[in-house]
């Protein structure tokens, strides 16, 4: 072994036992040899005599790299030497008498690398230099299986490296591939196909690997060679014989099926394709899917063949217009479809997706038919059966799915994804053949109930899922009418008791399905008792699985929302059914296990609130119901507050969670009561909510720094503003005072949202309240907001900065709501005056520089409103001393001129154009309010500094004094764009 051999072995060593320095030296030495001008001779010599596999691989890799990089610079002698030597190695020939190394007997990866080297030569030399390469190979195949194997590897490598369009190809590679294919078609393809036939016939029993390799070659090359070379009586007959030969390996039989599929998929005109498909007599393989092991690779390949065949026949049906063509297509489809359905029902194959795609295409062709034939109706039924079987869960996961452990969640997620295409197919079938689909679901439902215990859960869940998914393709109107068999199906659904109802999956899909078809019940009220039973007994909120009970609570609330007034006669029954749930919640010292989630409880209380909050409920009953619910909830809160006062307001998680649940329940309950009912028609009900508000506001006193509690009380105040209307006013000062105290930026944001709600609802009526709270709000906001712009670099986007940005945006909205609801006088009250200048500076900076265009627009609109409010008419006494000068000198110049001149002000952006419109409107109003004072400063002082041409300034003045705001906007945009061209953009807002 010489130094190069040693270096190669060391460089390939992955054991980690060698010194890293030694390995680096070996790699460097190998690289040095690789760059030698004589590298090709070195490599070929070693291929001939060296039996070390790693050395052989290194030599072949070097040859491959050298040909790709240096071929054009090689001498004719070197090219000839490489060609002859490589071909001799590939054909198992000795270069001289001492040749002893046999690369072809090496492992597969060595032979594949050798094939790549041959293909590199073909790339450069065929057919112009090495025109005989394929003929030479064919002459040497008699040397035995190793040469046949090598020939197959060369053909396959050529497909991978050059011909196949499954990979991205450069324009040069496409041109070379075209050149090679054209030459091969003219010179040698018929001979190669003949050799394929002979090799398969000779080696089918003795060497399955060789036989499979040849079939794989044929499969690849069918796409571009003359189809008649393969699709003839002899070759096709051979392929079908191979598929049917039980004595052959599955490897060979599967390869034969793949070759037939390639023939079936060959691109050609539809008439010729149909003749080809008809000639194949595909019925010959139907027996294979019924008699072979359903889990075998052969059945998977035959399934793909049948699906591909059916897909091609369907394409012929779509493309052919002749009656004969369509008739033949239908016959072939009718012939193959039973086997396609059988494969999907019986076999675990990879072809499921392609089968579903085919069936979707098939059902799509039926959409325009006036009626379906008996055969088509039969196929529809078979499709539905296929879908039902495919969407079933495997019973092996039954317990996992019930407990919903990690395995169960993964399996459910997998099945949700797997079912998507099947449900799309179901809905298509449902549209094409609604009666057949509904009859199928009815019969399946009856069959699922009677199914064996081993499959009962999966059968019932599958058919309920079918019924649920079908609803997505049915209009609300059809559901209301119970079109077709829908009425019977819904009745059957509601009246059926499934033995497996306690399983989580069945419980969930059962309730979801009822909810989907509720509009039928809305029109057919005789079914209401059955619906209530399903949601209120052990199938619903009392289900043994908490996951189902939780879902039932939410869905029952939706049921109540939809049926509402129709449920009045059942209120007593409903409340009685929920009594234990409500009692668990209102009487225990901590949250019950059954209603461990506050949200679950809130759904039940919201449903009850919607029921008892209707005007159809008599006042006495309504008061009784509400009192029975509010009193214990409030008492629990009061007890918790008393204990906290007496013992020490310790913020234990259990205590806080307990109070949180009470607030959420009360809040949810109140959603069912309208403002008109509690303030106008039944003020006694309103009084009960006021008392509740009194109790809950005490939480802010006892737990002033507990954010979750403060947040929930804030939400309840929001709710009471909507529910109690103006009668909530007496409670607001105390509530707002407590909510504003101790508030951080996130809570201050919620507080501003509450004030926005009050202003939007009550307008000037809240002026006195705002006079009191605005100074405190402004003080808090200006202490939190930084004086400098917020950082925009990636590292600056922290949670704290995002909170400040959100507070800033909400504060702008608050100021906008104040200004646009005639409340700008709030800014001028004695307590608020101190914050007027910071507010104006903030608004001014935002108008000019904020990155969020809608925020800039809102701030410009605030300025417009303040100008209108604080400037009664031209030349009158100033309402706010210094305001006019500030607006003319700071706002007009910086916002209306300089900020618009900035290149970042993009006129092509829709939002920016809207902002521009507001800026132009602001100028018009400033002129109306301030007259020549504005004109002189803006036009005579501002425009010259911006290098505005005199004629454009004059046009602007004329348009400003006119009445056409759109003309003014167009004129000003032209002016700005003209200035931008002339000046260097040095004007910036400061």
């Amino acid at each position: 072994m010489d130094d190069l051999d040693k270096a190669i072995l060391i460089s390939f060593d992955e054991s980690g036992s060698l010194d890293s320095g030694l390995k680096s030296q070996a790699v460097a030495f190998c690289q040095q040899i690789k760059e030698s001008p004589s590298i090709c001779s070195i490599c070929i010599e070693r291929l001939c005599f060296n039996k070390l596999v790693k050395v052989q691989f290194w030599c072949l890799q070097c040859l491959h790299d050298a040909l790709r990089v240096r071929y054009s610079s090689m001498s004719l002698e070197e090219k000839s030497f490489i060609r002859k030597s490589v071909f001799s190695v590939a054909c198992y020939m000795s270069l001289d008498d001492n040749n002893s190394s046999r690369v072809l007997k090496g492992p597969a990866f060595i032979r594949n690398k050798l094939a790549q080297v041959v293909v590199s030569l073909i790339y450069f030399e065929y057919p112009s230099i090495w025109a005989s390469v394929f003929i030479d190979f064919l002459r040497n195949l008699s040397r035995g299986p190793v040469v046949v194997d090598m020939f197959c590897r060369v053909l396959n490598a050529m497909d991978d490296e050059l011909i196949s369009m499954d990979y991205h190809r450069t324009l040069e590679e496409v041109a070379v591939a075209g050149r090679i294919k054209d030459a091969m078609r003219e010179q040698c393809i018929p001979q190669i196909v003949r050799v394929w036939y002979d090799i398969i016939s000779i080696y089918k029993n003795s060497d399955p690997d060789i036989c499979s390799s040849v079939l794989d070659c044929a499969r690849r090359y069918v796409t571009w060679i003359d189809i008649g070379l393969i699709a003839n009586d002899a070759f096709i007959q051979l392929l079908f014989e191979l598929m049917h030969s039980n004595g052959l390996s599955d490897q060979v039989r599967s390869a034969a099926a793949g070759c037939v599929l390639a023939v079936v998929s060959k691109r050609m005109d539809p008439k010729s394709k149909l003749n080809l498909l008809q000639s194949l007599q595909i019925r010959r393989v139907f027996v294979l899917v019924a008699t072979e092991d359903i889990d075998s690779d052969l059945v998977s390949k035959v399934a793909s063949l049948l699906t591909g065949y059916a897909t091609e026949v369907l394409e012929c049906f779509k493309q052919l217009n002749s009656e004969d063509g369509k008739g033949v297509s239908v016959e072939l489809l009718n012939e193959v479809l039973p086997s396609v359905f059988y494969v999907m029902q019986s076999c675990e194959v990879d072809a499921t997706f392609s089968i579903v795609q085919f069936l979707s295409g098939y059902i799509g062709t039926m959409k325009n038919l006036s009626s379906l034939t008996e055969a088509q109706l039969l196929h529809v039924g078979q499709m539905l059966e296929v879908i039902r079987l495919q969407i079933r869960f495997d019973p092996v996961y039954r317990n996992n799915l019930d407990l919903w452990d990690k395995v169960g969640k993964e399996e459910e997620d997998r099945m949700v994804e797997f079912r998507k295409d099947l449900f799309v197919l179901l809905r298509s079938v449902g549209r094409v053949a609604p009666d057949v689909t509904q009859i199928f679901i009815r019969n399946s439902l009856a069959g699922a109930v009677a199914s064996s215990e081993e499959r009962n859960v999966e059968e019932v869940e599958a058919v309920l899922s079918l019924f649920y998914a079908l609803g997505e393709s049915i209009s609300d109107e059809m559901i209301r009418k119970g079109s077709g068999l829908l009425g019977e199906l819904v009745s059957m659904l509601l009246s059926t008791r499934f033995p497996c109802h306690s399983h989580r999956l069945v419980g969930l899909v059962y309730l979801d399905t009822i909810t989907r078809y509720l509009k039928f019940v809305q029109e057919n009220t005789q079914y209401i008792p059955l619906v209530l039973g399903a949601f209120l007994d052990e199938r619903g909120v009392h289900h043994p699985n908490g996951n189902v009970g939780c879902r039932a609570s939410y869905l029952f609330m939706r049921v109540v929302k939809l049926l509402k007034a129709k449920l009045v006669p059942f209120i007593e029954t409903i409340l009685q059914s929920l009594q234990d749930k409500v009692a668990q919640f209102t009487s225990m010292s901590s949250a019950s296990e059954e209603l461990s989630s506050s949200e679950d409880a809130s759904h039940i209380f919201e449903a009850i609130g919607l029921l008892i909050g209707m005007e159809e409920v008599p006042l006495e009953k309504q008061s009784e119901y509400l009192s029975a619910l509010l009193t214990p909830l409030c008492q629990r809160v009061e007890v918790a507050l008393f204990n906290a006062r007496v013992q020490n307001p310790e913020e234990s998680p259990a205590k806080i969670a307990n109070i949180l649940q009470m607030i959420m329940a009360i809040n949810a309950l109140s959603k069912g009561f309208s403002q008109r009912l509690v303030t106008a028609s039944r003020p006694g009900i309103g009084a009960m909510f006021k008392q509740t508000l009194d109790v809950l506001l005490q939480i802010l006193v006892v737990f002033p720094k507990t954010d979750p509690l403060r947040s929930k009380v804030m939400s309840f105040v929001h709710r009471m503003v909507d529910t109690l209307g103006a009668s909530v006013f007496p409670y607001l000062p105390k509530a707002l005072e407590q909510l504003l105290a101790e508030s951080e930026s996130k809570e201050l944001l919620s507080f501003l949202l509450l004030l926005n709600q009050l202003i939007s609802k009550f307008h000037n009526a809240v002026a006195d309240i705002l006079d009191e709270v605005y100074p405190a709000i402004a003080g808090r906001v200006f202490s939190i907001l930084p004086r400098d712009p917020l950082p925009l670099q990636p590292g600056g986007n922290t949670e704290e900065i995002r909170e400040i940005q959100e507070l800033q945006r909400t504060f702008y909205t608050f100021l906008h709501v104040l200004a646009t609801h005639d409340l700008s006088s709030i800014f001028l009250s004695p307590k608020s005056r101190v914050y007027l200048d910071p507010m104006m500076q903030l608004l001014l900076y935002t108008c000019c520089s904020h990155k969020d265009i809608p925020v800039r627009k809102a701030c410009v609109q605030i300025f417009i409103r303040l100008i209108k409010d604080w400037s009664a008419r031209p030349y009158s006494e100033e309402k706010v001393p210094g305001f006019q000068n500030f607006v003319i000198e700071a706002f007009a110049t910086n916002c209306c001129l300089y900020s618009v001149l900035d290149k970042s002000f993009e006129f092509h952006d829709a939002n920016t154009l809207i902002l521009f419109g507001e800026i132009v409107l602001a100028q018009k109003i400033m002129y109306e309010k301030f007259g020549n004072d504005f004109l002189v400063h803006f036009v005579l002082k501002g425009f010259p500094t911006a290098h505005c041409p005199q004629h454009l300034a004059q046009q602007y003045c004329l348009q400003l004094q006119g009445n056409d705001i759109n003309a003014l906007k167009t004129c000003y945009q032209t002016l700005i764009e003209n200035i931008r061209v002339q000046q260097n953009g040095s004007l910036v807002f400061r």
Side-chain angles (χ1 to χ4, degrees):
M1 186 185 300
D2 63 17
D3 290 342
L4 178 57
D5 291 351
K6 291 176 183 176
I8 293 170
L9 294 176
I10 291 170
S11 67
F12 276 115
D13 184 81
E14 297 295 336
S15 66
S17 59
L18 294 177
D19 178 67
S20 60
L22 178 63
K23 186 169 182 178
S24 297
Q25 287 178 359
V27 170
F29 180 70
C30 290
Q31 185 62 33
Q32 181 183 348
I33 298 296
K34 189 175 181 180
E35 293 169 2
S36 165
S38 59
I39 182 62
C40 293
S41 299
I42 293 171
C43 290
I44 288 169
E45 182 185 0
R46 274 173 165 69
L47 285 176
C48 295
F49 303 109
N50 199 308
K51 295 182 180 180
L52 296 171
V53 169
K54 291 178 180 177
V55 174
Q56 291 176 350
F57 182 82
W58 185 86
C59 291
L60 288 169
Q61 183 65 57
C62 286
L63 274 175
H64 187 236
D65 292 343
L67 287 169
R68 285 190 307 171
V69 176
R70 294 174 38 223
Y71 180 84
S72 59
S73 62
M74 290 179 180
S75 66
L76 293 176
E77 292 78 10
E78 186 176 11
K79 292 175 184 176
S80 177
F81 171 68
I82 295 172
R83 182 188 319 124
K84 290 176 181 176
S85 301
V86 167
F87 186 74
S88 295
V89 173
C91 287
Y92 210 55
M93 294 187 288
S94 297
L95 292 176
D96 54 52
D97 295 336
N98 297 319
N99 182 272
S100 60
S101 173
R102 295 301 186 187
V103 172
L104 297 197
K105 289 194 173 182
F109 70 88
I110 291 291
R111 286 173 278 157
N112 287 338
K113 183 56 70 175
L114 176 57
Q116 281 186 317
V117 174
V118 176
V119 169
S120 294
L121 287 167
I122 292 171
Y123 182 95
F124 291 111
E125 299 189 346
Y126 182 79
S128 58
I129 299 172
W130 192 10
S132 63
V133 54
F134 298 107
I135 302 299
D136 292 343
F137 254 119
L138 293 175
R139 292 189 185 119
N140 282 282
L141 294 182
S142 59
R143 290 180 173 275
V146 289
V147 181
V148 175
D149 172 78
M150 195 62 227
F151 184 51
C152 289
R153 290 179 191 275
V154 168
L155 291 177
N156 287 346
M158 194 163 69
D159 183 61
D160 288 334
E161 303 283 328
L162 294 177
I163 296 173
S164 173
M165 296 310 292
D166 292 340
Y167 310 98
H168 173 71
R169 304 295 186 198
T170 64
L171 291 175
E172 180 188 353
E173 288 170 336
V174 171
V176 170
R179 182 193 79 210
I180 291 172
K181 288 192 292 185
D182 289 342
M184 289 182 72
R185 287 190 192 104
E186 186 176 338
Q187 181 201 40
C188 59
I189 284 295
Q191 295 96 308
I192 290 174
V193 174
R194 180 67 202 180
V195 165
W196 285 342
Y197 181 89
D198 292 340
I199 293 171
I200 294 167
S201 302
I202 294 168
Y203 289 104
K204 62 184 179 183
N205 293 307
S206 60
D207 198 330
D209 288 338
I210 288 290
C211 195
S212 300
S213 296
V214 171
L215 287 166
D216 187 44
C217 278
R219 175 187 64 79
R220 291 164 176 258
Y221 280 66
V222 161
T223 58
W224 59 272
I225 66 175
D226 178 5
I227 190 63
L229 295 172
I230 302 289
N232 53 60
D233 291 344
F235 214 123
I236 291 296
Q237 183 62 33
L238 175 62
L239 294 174
F240 276 89
E241 284 177 7
L242 294 175
M243 282 190 279
H244 281 87
S245 297
N246 290 323
L248 296 182
S249 68
D250 268 9
Q251 179 186 4
V252 173
R253 299 172 74 188
S254 299
C259 202
V260 177
L261 176 57
V263 171
V264 164
S265 306
K266 172 83 170 177
R267 292 178 62 181
M268 50 203 302
D269 73 89
K271 188 174 180 181
S272 301
K273 171 61 77 68
L274 188 61
N275 291 333
L276 170 63
L277 295 173
Q278 193 175 16
S279 71
L280 289 178
Q281 301 177 43
I282 202 70
R283 71 181 76 88
R284 290 182 281 178
V285 302
F286 295 167
V287 67
L288 293 176
V289 296
T291 58
E292 296 291 329
D293 177 6
I294 62 171
D295 294 322
S296 70
D297 183 55
L298 173 62
V299 169
S300 178
K301 293 294 184 185
V302 172
S304 296
L305 169 58
L306 291 172
T307 307
Y309 178 89
T311 302
E312 294 298 326
V313 173
L314 183 63
E315 282 303 307
C316 291
F317 175 83
K318 291 177 183 177
Q319 294 177 35
L320 290 170
N321 295 320
S322 68
E323 287 300 317
D324 286 346
K326 287 193 176 293
V328 171
S329 301
V330 168
E331 286 178 17
L332 297 181
L333 279 173
N334 290 342
E335 183 181 58
V336 74
L337 275 170
S339 292
V340 173
F341 293 134
Y342 178 82
V343 164
M344 254 191 112
Q345 291 175 33
S346 308
C347 313
E348 294 289 334
V349 294
D350 297 332
T352 299
F353 174 74
S354 56
I355 293 176
V356 172
Q357 296 302 104
F358 158 70
L359 293 178
S360 297
Y362 178 63
I363 204 72
T365 62
M366 298 182 185
K367 288 179 181 177
N368 299 321
L369 301 178
S370 55
S371 62
L372 302 184
T373 64
E374 189 175 335
Q376 288 169 331
L377 289 172
L378 177 63
H379 295 157
V380 166
Q382 290 175 309
M383 274 190 223
L384 291 166
E385 181 62 22
V386 164
I387 295 169
R388 185 183 69 82
L389 292 172
Q390 286 289 318
I391 66 168
R392 282 187 317 196
F393 281 93
D394 190 327
V396 74
Y397 295 108
R398 185 179 297 177
N399 290 337
N400 302 102
L401 289 162
D402 195 25
L403 296 171
W404 213 34
D405 57 19
K406 184 176 183 292
V407 173
K409 288 177 182 178
E410 288 175 356
E411 176 61 14
E412 189 168 359
D413 289 343
R414 185 197 67 79
M415 187 60 98
V416 166
E417 192 62 32
F418 175 74
R419 286 175 164 186
K420 284 180 181 177
D421 290 318
L422 289 162
F423 283 153
V424 170
L425 176 60
L426 169 74
R427 291 191 285 272
S428 297
V429 174
R431 293 187 189 99
V432 169
D435 294 340
V436 174
T437 306
Q438 291 168 24
I439 290 170
F440 177 82
I441 291 176
R442 181 191 64 187
N443 295 341
S444 298
L445 199 58
V449 176
S451 64
S452 65
E453 189 176 338
E454 287 76 23
R455 287 218 67 99
N456 188 261
V457 169
E458 292 73 30
E459 293 284 356
V460 170
E461 192 278 337
V463 70
L464 289 176
S465 295
L466 285 180
F467 191 23
Y468 176 82
L470 181 67
E472 289 187 12
S473 62
I474 301 175
S475 68
D476 287 350
E477 187 60 29
M478 291 175 68
I479 292 176
R480 281 195 190 91
K481 292 178 179 177
S483 300
L485 293 177
L486 281 180
E488 181 185 340
L489 280 169
V490 175
S491 173
M492 190 177 180
L493 177 72
L494 292 170
S495 57
T496 302
R497 291 277 184 159
F498 301 107
C500 54
H501 223 124
S502 60
H503 193 279
R504 187 186 71 87
L505 277 184
V506 175
L508 288 172
V509 71
Y510 177 73
L511 296 173
D512 280 331
T513 307
I514 292 176
T515 307
R516 170 146 282 177
Y517 293 95
L518 267 180
K519 286 186 170 60
F520 174 77
V521 178
Q522 194 177 20
E523 297 295 317
N524 300 271
T525 54
Q526 68 270 26
Y527 293 105
I528 287 179
L530 292 176
V531 172
L532 294 177
F535 278 96
L536 298 174
D537 62 20
E538 70 283 353
R539 292 171 291 172
V541 296
H542 291 92
H543 197 282
N545 187 298
N547 197 245
V548 180
C550 163
R551 180 70 176 165
S553 301
Y554 167 71
L555 292 177
F556 180 63
M557 181 261 292
R558 285 179 52 189
V559 169
V560 173
K561 275 186 176 178
L562 184 67
L563 301 178
K564 221 169 178 187
K566 294 181 172 65
L567 296 178
V568 172
F570 304 96
I571 289 179
E572 291 282 359
T573 304
I574 293 169
L575 293 178
Q576 193 170 356
S577 298
L578 293 174
Q579 190 174 6
D580 59 332
K581 292 292 180 186
V582 173
Q584 287 167 359
F585 194 76
T586 56
S587 62
M588 293 176 65
S589 59
S590 62
S592 67
E593 289 180 15
E594 290 82 356
L595 286 173
S596 56
S597 165
S598 302
E599 205 163 324
D600 304 344
S602 73
H603 290 143
I604 283 183
F605 278 92
E606 183 173 351
I608 294 173
L610 290 166
L611 280 170
I612 68 176
M614 291 184 283
E615 296 213 19
E616 291 83 352
V617 179
L619 173 59
E620 298 77 17
K621 280 289 184 186
Q622 195 171 56
S623 300
E624 178 188 331
Y625 294 148
L626 185 59
S627 177
L629 292 160
L630 282 180
T631 301
L633 289 169
C634 289
Q635 284 175 348
R636 281 190 64 182
V637 174
E638 287 174 323
V639 168
L641 294 176
F642 176 78
N643 291 338
R645 283 193 184 99
V646 172
Q647 297 165 1
N648 191 11
E650 127 187 20
E651 299 180 4
S652 69
K655 186 186 297 181
I656 291 170
N658 196 21
I659 299 175
L660 283 172
Q661 281 201 344
M662 299 309 105
I663 303 171
M664 289 181 71
I666 295 168
N667 202 3
L669 190 63
S670 69
K671 291 179 182 179
F673 293 83
S674 68
Q675 181 180 329
R676 196 178 67 79
L677 182 139
V678 303
T679 58
S681 59
R682 297 179 181 178
I685 299 295
M688 295 170 72
F689 280 114
K690 290 175 190 175
Q691 292 169 5
T692 304
L693 181 58
D694 252 340
V695 172
L696 296 192
L697 288 176
Q698 293 302 311
I699 295 171
L700 300 175
V701 179
V702 179
F703 295 98
K705 296 184 178 181
T706 308
D707 290 344
L709 291 175
R710 290 171 62 84
S711 175
K712 290 302 176 192
V713 173
M714 178 92 74
S715 296
F716 186 65
V717 174
H718 272 291
R719 170 59 49 195
M720 288 300 98
V721 169
D722 278 339
T723 305
L724 296 174
S727 62
V728 80
F729 276 19
Y731 301 87
L732 288 178
K734 176 184 175 183
L736 296 175
E737 179 187 350
Q738 294 294 333
L739 288 169
L740 188 56
E742 309 290 344
S743 57
E744 300 298 329
S745 60
K746 187 182 288 188
E747 201 169 34
L748 190 57
L749 187 149
S750 301
F751 187 80
L752 290 173
L753 292 175
L754 175 60
L755 292 181
N756 289 344
Q757 179 195 19
L758 290 170
I759 297 167
S760 300
K761 189 173 182 67
F762 301 118
H763 303 281
N764 277 332
V766 291
D768 292 342
I769 293 172
L770 289 167
D771 263 337
E772 291 299 316
V773 298
Y774 177 76
I777 293 169
R780 295 300 305 281
V781 170
F782 288 123
S783 69
I784 293 173
L785 296 183
R787 293 183 179 274
D788 299 320
L790 292 167
L792 296 175
Q793 62 269 25
N797 192 23
T798 64
E799 182 66 29
E800 182 184 2
I801 287 174
R802 285 194 293 272
E803 282 184 17
I804 292 174
Q805 288 172 332
E806 189 61 31
L807 173 62
Q808 191 181 61
R809 278 192 291 269
T810 308
F811 184 59
Y812 292 137
T813 304
F814 171 61
L815 296 178
H816 187 270
V817 172
L818 278 171
T820 54
H821 286 78
D822 299 319
L823 289 165
S824 62
S825 59
I826 299 297
F827 304 133
L828 305 179
S829 69
K831 293 180 182 177
S832 302
R833 280 268 186 174
V834 67
Y835 300 110
L836 183 58
D837 184 60
M839 182 189 81
M840 299 303 287
Q841 294 296 340
L842 178 66
L843 289 174
L844 177 61
Y845 183 85
T846 306
C847 284
C848 300
S849 306
H850 204 283
K851 299 298 180 186
D852 191 335
I853 297 297
V855 170
R856 285 172 72 170
K857 181 194 74 173
C859 291
V860 173
Q861 288 173 335
I862 294 170
F863 267 110
I864 290 172
R865 195 60 191 242
L866 295 182
I867 293 167
K868 288 179 178 180
D869 288 354
W870 294 350
S871 307
R873 59 182 180 275
Y875 317 120
S876 63
E877 184 180 339
E878 280 195 289
K879 190 173 182 180
V880 182
F883 175 69
Q884 178 174 319
N885 285 340
F886 176 80
V887 169
I888 292 174
E889 294 173 11
F891 172 70
T893 305
N894 288 303
C895 176
C896 299
L897 182 58
Y898 292 168
S899 76
V900 183
L901 283 171
D902 193 281
K903 293 293 195 300
S904 64
F905 198 94
E906 181 53 69
F907 282 108
H908 295 296
D909 176 66
N911 280 329
T912 306
L913 270 181
I914 295 170
L915 167 61
F916 183 70
E918 295 295 334
I919 287 173
V920 172
L921 178 61
Q923 296 169 45
K924 182 69 175 171
I925 290 168
M926 283 187 284
Y927 175 69
E928 290 172 355
K929 293 296 183 181
F930 307 138
N932 286 331
D933 288 346
F934 165 71
L935 209 57
V936 167
H937 192 279
F938 192 62
V939 176
L940 297 184
K941 293 184 179 179
F943 280 13
T945 61
H947 313 295
C948 176
Q950 184 63 33
H951 71 283
L952 290 177
Q954 290 172 352
Q955 289 176 18
Y956 171 79
C957 290
L958 287 173
Q959 293 295 344
L960 186 67
Q961 294 165 22
N963 296 318
D964 190 339
I965 191 70
N966 287 326
L968 174 61
K969 183 178 175 182
T970 303
C971 171
Y972 193 56
Q973 183 172 339
T974 303
L975 181 148
I976 293 298
E977 289 172 340
N978 192 283
I979 295 175
R980 279 187 183 180
V981 173
Q982 296 185 46
Q983 56 101 7
N984 59 12
S986 59
L987 295 168
V988 293
F989 165 69
R990 290 179 175 81

